[in-house]
Amino acid sequence: MAAIAACMFCAADAFSMAGRPEPVALRAQAPLAFSPPLPLLTAKSLRSTSPLQVNGWAARGRGVRRGREQMSLVPSGMAGALTRVTSTPDALFQTIFLGLAAVAALANLAVRDFKEVGKKEEEKPEGVKNLQIRFLIVFWLLRMADWLQGPYFYEVYASKIIGGSPVSLDLVSKLFLIGFGTTGLLGAYVGKLVDSKGRRAGTLAFTILYTIGALSTKSSLLWVLILGRLAGGVGTSLLFSAPESWLVGEHNKKGYDGKWLGQTFGWAYAGDSLVAISAGQLAGAAAAARGPAGPFEISVVFLAAGALLAATTWKENVAPKRGDESSGPTIGDAWRVMLKDKKILLVGIVQALFEGAMYIFVLQWPPSLIAVVSNGQVPFGKVFSCFMASCLIGSTLFGALSKKGVEVETRLPCSLEG
């Protein structure tokens, strides 16, 4: 993904020169530099010139013009295509996205095991099918609402005027930190609360809190923006705990085979990649119609749809009680287990470093592109779709290499360092 991002930044940097006419004109005239100039014909020179010479010059002039036309056919065609592709940032990044989407589709076809397609699978219980449908529709609606708020996160806050001055990158960073800091501090407690009070209730609470966060972007009052980020931070904790916990609870309560649970999660996150790619395109269209707050407004529609389906098709479930609730594991117990097992500690450190690097990139790529694209007109939605398509390519290749027995965990970091 880092390589793809670097390529896109280079493409954006070259955009300001790609649309200029000078290089195209110079390429079209270059072959003519080798043609000797025609003599300057005046009235006096014509009287002293034979008709044969004049005819020769005329034929030579026609030949030069014909040569110009023939030699400029291919370069001008290529130049025209390049000009169309890079005529606007929107066209440039849409072209990059289409190329990445084609690569992702081909990669999925290349790694697919067609021998398994024709094999007869074990008949799936009707209850499992029903559970998968009820979960996946709600899950994808909620994930779409979340992804829609990603592409224009920086732009929606940077476009605000607070205290008579535009919002700085420093303030956007602090708003970003408020949301994800809330998630980090309260995530464990929110998860425990969801298990005891109800997973469906937690899912519905997520839709309410995320709606508050989305609607807060319509305001230019700092306290409203901070409140929205706090609500969004708690909502993020609920999104990554309540819906999936509900699925596991329902699955275990019905006593279904564990392989169906794995299949459901596989479908959920495979579809989530496509949802993320689509969210970038939809966010771009919403921003073009309604401004940088447009994607947040559209996300409210998906939140409402997800909440309606969860409220009407999901039954409440909670974590099974095991004797005295006070005797259950605590956060302190989890901390001591982590310190005791170095492998758990190292996995946590690696994950934290990766997430930290990723979120620094998430916050920095919008202003970086604004700085290099002419007039700062960056199609954030299309760029976001490019990132998500790149992630899909990476996950596809990772799965294929793992099936081939390649030790991806050790060899891939070495190849990136090289």
Side-chain angles (χ1 to χ4, degrees):
M1 180 173 173
I4 296 294
C7 292
M8 284 194 289
F9 279 116
C10 292
D13 194 26
F15 169 77
S16 60
M17 296 187 63
R20 295 179 183 174
E22 291 85 358
V24 176
L26 287 174
R27 284 196 298 271
Q29 295 175 5
L32 304 182
F34 299 100
S35 302
L38 294 174
L40 181 63
L41 297 180
T42 62
K44 182 178 179 180
S45 64
L46 280 173
R47 284 195 297 270
S48 61
T49 302
S50 68
L52 183 59
Q53 286 178 302
V54 174
N55 291 336
W57 289 333
R60 188 171 129 207
R62 287 193 298 272
V64 169
R65 286 194 297 273
R66 191 179 301 112
R68 287 177 180 176
E69 295 173 358
Q70 292 174 350
M71 286 186 290
S72 64
L73 280 176
V74 175
S76 64
M78 294 175 62
L82 180 62
T83 302
R84 286 191 298 273
V85 168
T86 60
S87 58
T88 64
D90 192 273
L92 173 64
F93 284 105
Q94 185 67 4
T95 302
I96 295 174
F97 163 67
L98 292 175
L100 290 171
V103 172
L106 291 174
N108 274 279
L109 288 174
V111 302
R112 180 173 297 181
D113 189 356
F114 289 98
K115 295 180 180 179
E116 298 292 331
V117 175
K119 289 186 178 180
K120 186 177 180 180
E121 296 183 356
E122 181 182 344
E123 186 176 353
K124 186 185 303 182
E126 289 297 324
V128 172
K129 293 179 182 178
N130 180 268
L131 179 61
Q132 288 179 333
I133 292 172
R134 286 186 289 138
F135 170 75
L136 290 173
I137 294 176
V138 173
F139 181 79
W140 287 331
L141 285 171
L142 301 184
R143 292 295 290 172
M144 173 64 83
D146 182 43
W147 286 121
L148 278 169
Q149 299 186 21
Y152 286 84
F153 177 89
Y154 172 84
E155 183 70 4
V156 75
Y157 291 112
S159 63
K160 305 294 181 186
I161 304 294
I162 298 178
S165 302
V167 171
S168 64
L169 176 60
D170 179 65
L171 182 53
V172 175
S173 303
K174 290 176 180 176
L175 291 170
F176 185 87
L177 180 61
I178 288 172
F180 286 97
T182 303
T183 302
L185 292 173
L186 301 180
Y189 299 99
V190 168
K192 192 171 183 179
L193 187 64
V194 164
D195 282 340
S196 61
K197 301 301 181 182
R199 282 76 176 263
R200 186 185 71 166
T203 302
L204 296 176
F206 157 74
T207 62
I208 295 172
L209 291 169
Y210 241 54
T211 298
I212 294 173
L215 295 179
S216 71
T217 61
K218 301 292 292 181
S219 175
S220 293
L221 298 174
L222 182 58
W223 71 268
V224 175
L225 298 177
I226 292 175
L227 177 63
R229 291 302 298 148
L230 289 171
V234 178
T236 299
S237 298
L238 290 168
L239 174 63
F240 288 97
S241 59
E244 296 177 22
S245 297
W246 178 87
L247 173 65
V248 173
E250 285 295 300
H251 193 277
N252 292 337
K253 186 165 62 175
K254 299 293 184 180
Y256 297 133
D257 194 315
K259 66 181 178 182
W260 303 122
L261 183 63
Q263 183 189 69
T264 306
F265 278 124
W267 287 358
Y269 282 96
D272 188 44
S273 298
L274 301 179
V275 168
I277 293 171
S278 302
Q281 299 291 305
L282 184 56
R290 300 280 296 171
F296 293 81
E297 297 172 357
I298 296 296
S299 74
V300 174
V301 177
F302 287 93
L303 289 168
L308 179 62
L309 288 175
T312 56
T313 65
W314 288 13
K315 294 181 179 180
E316 187 61 275
N317 67 46
V318 296
K321 294 182 180 180
R322 299 176 181 176
D324 185 8
E325 290 187 1
S326 62
S327 64
T330 64
I331 294 177
D333 295 332
W335 178 255
R336 284 187 287 273
V337 170
M338 183 178 66
L339 292 178
K340 187 176 180 180
D341 190 336
K342 290 185 179 181
K343 291 182 179 180
I344 298 176
L345 182 62
L346 288 174
V347 169
I349 292 174
V350 170
Q351 182 72 14
L353 291 173
F354 171 79
E355 294 285 340
M358 184 188 70
Y359 282 120
I360 291 173
F361 175 79
V362 165
L363 187 60
Q364 291 296 324
W365 74 262
S368 299
L369 278 180
I370 290 173
V372 298
V373 172
S374 59
N375 300 323
Q377 299 298 315
V378 179
F380 295 105
K382 291 181 172 58
V383 177
F384 185 83
S385 291
C386 291
F387 289 147
M388 295 301 102
S390 302
C391 289
L392 179 58
I393 294 171
S395 62
T396 301
L397 294 177
F398 179 87
L401 292 173
S402 297
K403 288 182 179 179
K404 296 292 184 181
V406 178
E407 296 180 359
V408 184
E409 295 82 357
T410 55
R411 295 190 180 184
L412 185 57
C414 295
S415 63
L416 292 176
E417 291 176 2

PDB file of all heavy atoms in Angstrom, residues 116-141:
ATOM      1  N   GLU A 116     -12.330 -26.477  -6.521  1.00  0.00           N
ATOM      2  CA  GLU A 116     -13.237 -26.544  -5.383  1.00  0.00           C
ATOM      3  C   GLU A 116     -14.648 -26.092  -5.735  1.00  0.00           C
ATOM      4  O   GLU A 116     -15.591 -26.346  -4.987  1.00  0.00           O
ATOM      5  CB  GLU A 116     -12.697 -25.672  -4.231  1.00  0.00           C
ATOM      6  CG  GLU A 116     -11.341 -26.111  -3.704  1.00  0.00           C
ATOM      7  CD  GLU A 116     -11.432 -27.445  -2.993  1.00  0.00           C
ATOM      8  OE1 GLU A 116     -12.508 -27.748  -2.444  1.00  0.00           O
ATOM      9  OE2 GLU A 116     -10.431 -28.182  -2.987  1.00  0.00           O
ATOM     10  N   VAL A 117     -14.773 -25.361  -6.860  1.00  0.00           N
ATOM     11  CA  VAL A 117     -16.072 -24.802  -7.222  1.00  0.00           C
ATOM     12  C   VAL A 117     -17.090 -25.896  -7.509  1.00  0.00           C
ATOM     13  O   VAL A 117     -18.249 -25.823  -7.110  1.00  0.00           O
ATOM     14  CB  VAL A 117     -15.935 -23.859  -8.433  1.00  0.00           C
ATOM     15  CG1 VAL A 117     -17.293 -23.363  -8.889  1.00  0.00           C
ATOM     16  CG2 VAL A 117     -15.020 -22.684  -8.081  1.00  0.00           C
ATOM     17  N   GLY A 118     -16.667 -26.936  -8.217  1.00  0.00           N
ATOM     18  CA  GLY A 118     -17.603 -27.986  -8.613  1.00  0.00           C
ATOM     19  C   GLY A 118     -17.898 -29.010  -7.535  1.00  0.00           C
ATOM     20  O   GLY A 118     -18.792 -29.837  -7.697  1.00  0.00           O
ATOM     21  N   LYS A 119     -17.156 -28.971  -6.437  1.00  0.00           N
ATOM     22  CA  LYS A 119     -17.360 -29.966  -5.386  1.00  0.00           C
ATOM     23  C   LYS A 119     -18.650 -29.691  -4.625  1.00  0.00           C
ATOM     24  O   LYS A 119     -19.021 -28.554  -4.377  1.00  0.00           O
ATOM     25  CB  LYS A 119     -16.167 -29.948  -4.410  1.00  0.00           C
ATOM     26  CG  LYS A 119     -14.894 -30.513  -5.014  1.00  0.00           C
ATOM     27  CD  LYS A 119     -13.799 -30.593  -3.958  1.00  0.00           C
ATOM     28  CE  LYS A 119     -12.534 -31.206  -4.536  1.00  0.00           C
ATOM     29  NZ  LYS A 119     -11.462 -31.290  -3.526  1.00  0.00           N
ATOM     30  N   LYS A 120     -19.302 -30.763  -4.248  1.00  0.00           N
ATOM     31  CA  LYS A 120     -20.554 -30.641  -3.518  1.00  0.00           C
ATOM     32  C   LYS A 120     -20.263 -30.318  -2.059  1.00  0.00           C
ATOM     33  O   LYS A 120     -19.531 -31.023  -1.389  1.00  0.00           O
ATOM     34  CB  LYS A 120     -21.344 -31.947  -3.629  1.00  0.00           C
ATOM     35  CG  LYS A 120     -22.730 -31.860  -3.024  1.00  0.00           C
ATOM     36  CD  LYS A 120     -23.490 -33.160  -3.224  1.00  0.00           C
ATOM     37  CE  LYS A 120     -24.891 -33.076  -2.627  1.00  0.00           C
ATOM     38  NZ  LYS A 120     -25.637 -34.335  -2.819  1.00  0.00           N
ATOM     39  N   GLU A 121     -20.855 -29.218  -1.581  1.00  0.00           N
ATOM     40  CA  GLU A 121     -20.649 -28.807  -0.209  1.00  0.00           C
ATOM     41  C   GLU A 121     -21.718 -29.424   0.696  1.00  0.00           C
ATOM     42  O   GLU A 121     -22.790 -29.807   0.246  1.00  0.00           O
ATOM     43  CB  GLU A 121     -20.696 -27.277  -0.099  1.00  0.00           C
ATOM     44  CG  GLU A 121     -19.590 -26.571  -0.854  1.00  0.00           C
ATOM     45  CD  GLU A 121     -19.637 -25.067  -0.658  1.00  0.00           C
ATOM     46  OE1 GLU A 121     -20.594 -24.596   0.009  1.00  0.00           O
ATOM     47  OE2 GLU A 121     -18.746 -24.384  -1.157  1.00  0.00           O
ATOM     48  N   GLU A 122     -21.367 -29.480   1.964  1.00  0.00           N
ATOM     49  CA  GLU A 122     -22.327 -29.972   2.952  1.00  0.00           C
ATOM     50  C   GLU A 122     -23.529 -29.033   3.009  1.00  0.00           C
ATOM     51  O   GLU A 122     -23.374 -27.804   2.956  1.00  0.00           O
ATOM     52  CB  GLU A 122     -21.658 -30.047   4.318  1.00  0.00           C
ATOM     53  CG  GLU A 122     -22.570 -30.573   5.407  1.00  0.00           C
ATOM     54  CD  GLU A 122     -21.869 -30.578   6.754  1.00  0.00           C
ATOM     55  OE1 GLU A 122     -20.620 -30.466   6.771  1.00  0.00           O
ATOM     56  OE2 GLU A 122     -22.574 -30.686   7.783  1.00  0.00           O
ATOM     57  N   GLU A 123     -24.690 -29.603   3.077  1.00  0.00           N
ATOM     58  CA  GLU A 123     -25.911 -28.783   3.089  1.00  0.00           C
ATOM     59  C   GLU A 123     -25.942 -27.912   4.343  1.00  0.00           C
ATOM     60  O   GLU A 123     -25.761 -28.387   5.463  1.00  0.00           O
ATOM     61  CB  GLU A 123     -27.144 -29.678   3.046  1.00  0.00           C
ATOM     62  CG  GLU A 123     -28.434 -28.892   2.918  1.00  0.00           C
ATOM     63  CD  GLU A 123     -29.647 -29.800   2.776  1.00  0.00           C
ATOM     64  OE1 GLU A 123     -29.446 -31.032   2.652  1.00  0.00           O
ATOM     65  OE2 GLU A 123     -30.778 -29.292   2.790  1.00  0.00           O
ATOM     66  N   LYS A 124     -26.173 -26.642   4.103  1.00  0.00           N
ATOM     67  CA  LYS A 124     -26.179 -25.678   5.200  1.00  0.00           C
ATOM     68  C   LYS A 124     -27.574 -25.628   5.834  1.00  0.00           C
ATOM     69  O   LYS A 124     -28.579 -25.517   5.133  1.00  0.00           O
ATOM     70  CB  LYS A 124     -25.789 -24.300   4.670  1.00  0.00           C
ATOM     71  CG  LYS A 124     -25.623 -23.237   5.745  1.00  0.00           C
ATOM     72  CD  LYS A 124     -25.360 -21.875   5.130  1.00  0.00           C
ATOM     73  CE  LYS A 124     -24.143 -21.888   4.218  1.00  0.00           C
ATOM     74  NZ  LYS A 124     -23.872 -20.529   3.664  1.00  0.00           N
ATOM     75  N   PRO A 125     -27.669 -25.680   7.153  1.00  0.00           N
ATOM     76  CA  PRO A 125     -28.970 -25.585   7.828  1.00  0.00           C
ATOM     77  C   PRO A 125     -29.662 -24.260   7.496  1.00  0.00           C
ATOM     78  O   PRO A 125     -29.007 -23.223   7.334  1.00  0.00           O
ATOM     79  CB  PRO A 125     -28.609 -25.669   9.311  1.00  0.00           C
ATOM     80  CG  PRO A 125     -27.272 -26.333   9.351  1.00  0.00           C
ATOM     81  CD  PRO A 125     -26.561 -25.917   8.108  1.00  0.00           C
ATOM     82  N   GLU A 126     -30.973 -24.298   7.414  1.00  0.00           N
ATOM     83  CA  GLU A 126     -31.742 -23.096   7.102  1.00  0.00           C
ATOM     84  C   GLU A 126     -31.551 -22.018   8.159  1.00  0.00           C
ATOM     85  O   GLU A 126     -31.542 -20.826   7.859  1.00  0.00           O
ATOM     86  CB  GLU A 126     -33.225 -23.442   6.959  1.00  0.00           C
ATOM     87  CG  GLU A 126     -33.559 -24.224   5.701  1.00  0.00           C
ATOM     88  CD  GLU A 126     -33.262 -23.431   4.440  1.00  0.00           C
ATOM     89  OE1 GLU A 126     -33.463 -22.206   4.446  1.00  0.00           O
ATOM     90  OE2 GLU A 126     -32.819 -24.055   3.455  1.00  0.00           O
ATOM     91  N   GLY A 127     -31.397 -22.458   9.407  1.00  0.00           N
ATOM     92  CA  GLY A 127     -31.183 -21.494  10.481  1.00  0.00           C
ATOM     93  C   GLY A 127     -29.898 -20.704  10.302  1.00  0.00           C
ATOM     94  O   GLY A 127     -29.838 -19.508  10.590  1.00  0.00           O
ATOM     95  N   VAL A 128     -28.848 -21.390   9.813  1.00  0.00           N
ATOM     96  CA  VAL A 128     -27.573 -20.709   9.566  1.00  0.00           C
ATOM     97  C   VAL A 128     -27.727 -19.697   8.439  1.00  0.00           C
ATOM     98  O   VAL A 128     -27.223 -18.563   8.518  1.00  0.00           O
ATOM     99  CB  VAL A 128     -26.480 -21.742   9.231  1.00  0.00           C
ATOM    100  CG1 VAL A 128     -25.203 -21.034   8.789  1.00  0.00           C
ATOM    101  CG2 VAL A 128     -26.199 -22.630  10.426  1.00  0.00           C
ATOM    102  N   LYS A 129     -28.419 -20.093   7.374  1.00  0.00           N
ATOM    103  CA  LYS A 129     -28.637 -19.173   6.255  1.00  0.00           C
ATOM    104  C   LYS A 129     -29.371 -17.920   6.722  1.00  0.00           C
ATOM    105  O   LYS A 129     -29.002 -16.790   6.368  1.00  0.00           O
ATOM    106  CB  LYS A 129     -29.440 -19.867   5.154  1.00  0.00           C
ATOM    107  CG  LYS A 129     -28.717 -21.006   4.461  1.00  0.00           C
ATOM    108  CD  LYS A 129     -29.612 -21.626   3.398  1.00  0.00           C
ATOM    109  CE  LYS A 129     -28.933 -22.818   2.720  1.00  0.00           C
ATOM    110  NZ  LYS A 129     -29.824 -23.449   1.710  1.00  0.00           N
ATOM    111  N   ASN A 130     -30.402 -18.125   7.513  1.00  0.00           N
ATOM    112  CA  ASN A 130     -31.178 -16.991   8.010  1.00  0.00           C
ATOM    113  C   ASN A 130     -30.336 -16.085   8.895  1.00  0.00           C
ATOM    114  O   ASN A 130     -30.410 -14.850   8.800  1.00  0.00           O
ATOM    115  CB  ASN A 130     -32.390 -17.517   8.782  1.00  0.00           C
ATOM    116  CG  ASN A 130     -33.259 -16.407   9.328  1.00  0.00           C
ATOM    117  OD1 ASN A 130     -33.074 -15.968  10.466  1.00  0.00           O
ATOM    118  ND2 ASN A 130     -34.217 -15.955   8.525  1.00  0.00           N
ATOM    119  N   LEU A 131     -29.520 -16.703   9.757  1.00  0.00           N
ATOM    120  CA  LEU A 131     -28.656 -15.922  10.642  1.00  0.00           C
ATOM    121  C   LEU A 131     -27.626 -15.134   9.840  1.00  0.00           C
ATOM    122  O   LEU A 131     -27.350 -13.961  10.147  1.00  0.00           O
ATOM    123  CB  LEU A 131     -27.966 -16.858  11.640  1.00  0.00           C
ATOM    124  CG  LEU A 131     -26.992 -16.198  12.627  1.00  0.00           C
ATOM    125  CD1 LEU A 131     -27.712 -15.184  13.492  1.00  0.00           C
ATOM    126  CD2 LEU A 131     -26.317 -17.275  13.497  1.00  0.00           C
ATOM    127  N   GLN A 132     -27.051 -15.746   8.829  1.00  0.00           N
ATOM    128  CA  GLN A 132     -26.066 -15.051   7.999  1.00  0.00           C
ATOM    129  C   GLN A 132     -26.671 -13.847   7.295  1.00  0.00           C
ATOM    130  O   GLN A 132     -26.069 -12.768   7.259  1.00  0.00           O
ATOM    131  CB  GLN A 132     -25.478 -16.026   6.972  1.00  0.00           C
ATOM    132  CG  GLN A 132     -24.536 -17.049   7.570  1.00  0.00           C
ATOM    133  CD  GLN A 132     -23.999 -18.018   6.534  1.00  0.00           C
ATOM    134  OE1 GLN A 132     -24.637 -18.282   5.515  1.00  0.00           O
ATOM    135  NE2 GLN A 132     -22.816 -18.570   6.801  1.00  0.00           N
ATOM    136  N   ILE A 133     -27.858 -14.012   6.751  1.00  0.00           N
ATOM    137  CA  ILE A 133     -28.516 -12.905   6.053  1.00  0.00           C
ATOM    138  C   ILE A 133     -28.800 -11.761   7.014  1.00  0.00           C
ATOM    139  O   ILE A 133     -28.511 -10.585   6.724  1.00  0.00           O
ATOM    140  CB  ILE A 133     -29.818 -13.391   5.377  1.00  0.00           C
ATOM    141  CG1 ILE A 133     -29.501 -14.355   4.233  1.00  0.00           C
ATOM    142  CG2 ILE A 133     -30.632 -12.198   4.859  1.00  0.00           C
ATOM    143  CD1 ILE A 133     -30.721 -15.022   3.635  1.00  0.00           C
ATOM    144  N   ARG A 134     -29.351 -12.092   8.190  1.00  0.00           N
ATOM    145  CA  ARG A 134     -29.700 -11.042   9.152  1.00  0.00           C
ATOM    146  C   ARG A 134     -28.466 -10.294   9.642  1.00  0.00           C
ATOM    147  O   ARG A 134     -28.497  -9.077   9.834  1.00  0.00           O
ATOM    148  CB  ARG A 134     -30.445 -11.657  10.348  1.00  0.00           C
ATOM    149  CG  ARG A 134     -31.881 -12.065  10.025  1.00  0.00           C
ATOM    150  CD  ARG A 134     -32.617 -12.522  11.280  1.00  0.00           C
ATOM    151  NE  ARG A 134     -32.109 -13.810  11.750  1.00  0.00           N
ATOM    152  CZ  ARG A 134     -31.893 -14.099  13.030  1.00  0.00           C
ATOM    153  NH1 ARG A 134     -32.112 -13.187  13.965  1.00  0.00           N
ATOM    154  NH2 ARG A 134     -31.454 -15.297  13.383  1.00  0.00           N
ATOM    155  N   PHE A 135     -27.369 -11.019   9.826  1.00  0.00           N
ATOM    156  CA  PHE A 135     -26.154 -10.363  10.314  1.00  0.00           C
ATOM    157  C   PHE A 135     -25.448  -9.573   9.219  1.00  0.00           C
ATOM    158  O   PHE A 135     -25.070  -8.415   9.431  1.00  0.00           O
ATOM    159  CB  PHE A 135     -25.191 -11.404  10.896  1.00  0.00           C
ATOM    160  CG  PHE A 135     -23.824 -10.847  11.189  1.00  0.00           C
ATOM    161  CD1 PHE A 135     -23.620 -10.030  12.295  1.00  0.00           C
ATOM    162  CD2 PHE A 135     -22.744 -11.110  10.355  1.00  0.00           C
ATOM    163  CE1 PHE A 135     -22.368  -9.496  12.563  1.00  0.00           C
ATOM    164  CE2 PHE A 135     -21.492 -10.585  10.609  1.00  0.00           C
ATOM    165  CZ  PHE A 135     -21.299  -9.773  11.725  1.00  0.00           C
ATOM    166  N   LEU A 136     -25.249 -10.187   8.060  1.00  0.00           N
ATOM    167  CA  LEU A 136     -24.427  -9.561   7.024  1.00  0.00           C
ATOM    168  C   LEU A 136     -25.028  -8.262   6.507  1.00  0.00           C
ATOM    169  O   LEU A 136     -24.300  -7.291   6.271  1.00  0.00           O
ATOM    170  CB  LEU A 136     -24.215 -10.546   5.866  1.00  0.00           C
ATOM    171  CG  LEU A 136     -23.305 -11.737   6.173  1.00  0.00           C
ATOM    172  CD1 LEU A 136     -23.303 -12.722   5.013  1.00  0.00           C
ATOM    173  CD2 LEU A 136     -21.887 -11.270   6.480  1.00  0.00           C
ATOM    174  N   ILE A 137     -26.336  -8.217   6.317  1.00  0.00           N
ATOM    175  CA  ILE A 137     -26.952  -6.983   5.808  1.00  0.00           C
ATOM    176  C   ILE A 137     -26.730  -5.834   6.788  1.00  0.00           C
ATOM    177  O   ILE A 137     -26.314  -4.730   6.398  1.00  0.00           O
ATOM    178  CB  ILE A 137     -28.451  -7.202   5.545  1.00  0.00           C
ATOM    179  CG1 ILE A 137     -28.648  -8.191   4.402  1.00  0.00           C
ATOM    180  CG2 ILE A 137     -29.137  -5.877   5.204  1.00  0.00           C
ATOM    181  CD1 ILE A 137     -30.102  -8.543   4.135  1.00  0.00           C
ATOM    182  N   VAL A 138     -26.989  -6.094   8.072  1.00  0.00           N
ATOM    183  CA  VAL A 138     -26.788  -5.050   9.077  1.00  0.00           C
ATOM    184  C   VAL A 138     -25.313  -4.675   9.170  1.00  0.00           C
ATOM    185  O   VAL A 138     -24.959  -3.488   9.232  1.00  0.00           O
ATOM    186  CB  VAL A 138     -27.318  -5.513  10.450  1.00  0.00           C
ATOM    187  CG1 VAL A 138     -26.964  -4.503  11.544  1.00  0.00           C
ATOM    188  CG2 VAL A 138     -28.826  -5.718  10.402  1.00  0.00           C
ATOM    189  N   PHE A 139     -24.449  -5.667   9.183  1.00  0.00           N
ATOM    190  CA  PHE A 139     -23.004  -5.417   9.301  1.00  0.00           C
ATOM    191  C   PHE A 139     -22.499  -4.543   8.166  1.00  0.00           C
ATOM    192  O   PHE A 139     -21.775  -3.558   8.398  1.00  0.00           O
ATOM    193  CB  PHE A 139     -22.267  -6.760   9.314  1.00  0.00           C
ATOM    194  CG  PHE A 139     -20.772  -6.637   9.448  1.00  0.00           C
ATOM    195  CD1 PHE A 139     -20.187  -6.398  10.672  1.00  0.00           C
ATOM    196  CD2 PHE A 139     -19.954  -6.765   8.324  1.00  0.00           C
ATOM    197  CE1 PHE A 139     -18.805  -6.286  10.795  1.00  0.00           C
ATOM    198  CE2 PHE A 139     -18.576  -6.658   8.432  1.00  0.00           C
ATOM    199  CZ  PHE A 139     -17.997  -6.417   9.667  1.00  0.00           C
ATOM    200  N   TRP A 140     -22.876  -4.852   6.939  1.00  0.00           N
ATOM    201  CA  TRP A 140     -22.398  -4.068   5.797  1.00  0.00           C
ATOM    202  C   TRP A 140     -22.987  -2.665   5.769  1.00  0.00           C
ATOM    203  O   TRP A 140     -22.312  -1.715   5.361  1.00  0.00           O
ATOM    204  CB  TRP A 140     -22.703  -4.811   4.491  1.00  0.00           C
ATOM    205  CG  TRP A 140     -21.824  -6.000   4.276  1.00  0.00           C
ATOM    206  CD1 TRP A 140     -20.542  -6.158   4.727  1.00  0.00           C
ATOM    207  CD2 TRP A 140     -22.141  -7.203   3.565  1.00  0.00           C
ATOM    208  NE1 TRP A 140     -20.039  -7.387   4.346  1.00  0.00           N
ATOM    209  CE2 TRP A 140     -20.993  -8.050   3.628  1.00  0.00           C
ATOM    210  CE3 TRP A 140     -23.269  -7.658   2.889  1.00  0.00           C
ATOM    211  CZ2 TRP A 140     -20.955  -9.305   3.035  1.00  0.00           C
ATOM    212  CZ3 TRP A 140     -23.231  -8.912   2.294  1.00  0.00           C
ATOM    213  CH2 TRP A 140     -22.092  -9.723   2.371  1.00  0.00           C
ATOM    214  N   LEU A 141     -24.222  -2.509   6.213  1.00  0.00           N
ATOM    215  CA  LEU A 141     -24.804  -1.168   6.295  1.00  0.00           C
ATOM    216  C   LEU A 141     -24.040  -0.309   7.304  1.00  0.00           C
ATOM    217  O   LEU A 141     -23.737   0.866   7.026  1.00  0.00           O
ATOM    218  CB  LEU A 141     -26.275  -1.254   6.696  1.00  0.00           C
ATOM    219  CG  LEU A 141     -27.259  -1.713   5.608  1.00  0.00           C
ATOM    220  CD1 LEU A 141     -28.643  -1.954   6.218  1.00  0.00           C
ATOM    221  CD2 LEU A 141     -27.344  -0.693   4.478  1.00  0.00           C
TER     222      LEU A 141
END
